[in-house]
């Protein structure tokens, strides 16, 4: 795991979009809807910029 402060710093440095949600160690199991929405948003972003 990456320290959240370090992760935010690296994301800001590269100009990345970030999302924050409270989740346990296995978000694919505990919050699948959030994960699906995140992947869908990322795919749409890539397609829009293609």
């Amino acid at each position: 795991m990456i320290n959240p402060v370090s992760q935010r710093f690296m994301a800001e440095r590269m100009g990345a979009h970030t999302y924050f949600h409270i989740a346990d160690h296995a978000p694919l199991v505990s919050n699948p809807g959030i994960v699906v929405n995140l992947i869908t948003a990322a795919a749409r972003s890539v397609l829009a910029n293609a």
Side-chain angles (χ1 to χ4, degrees):
M1 285 207 55
I2 299 173
N3 178 299
V5 173
S6 297
Q7 189 175 26
R8 279 190 293 276
F9 169 76
M10 289 186 286
E12 288 174 8
R13 185 173 59 183
M14 72 172 87
H17 294 275
T18 59
Y19 298 88
F20 175 79
H21 294 282
I22 301 294
D24 64 8
H25 186 71
L28 290 171
V29 176
S30 63
N31 294 308
I34 291 172
V35 176
V36 169
N37 292 340
L38 176 80
I39 293 169
T40 302
R44 285 186 179 138
S45 175
V46 170
L47 291 173
N49 294 317

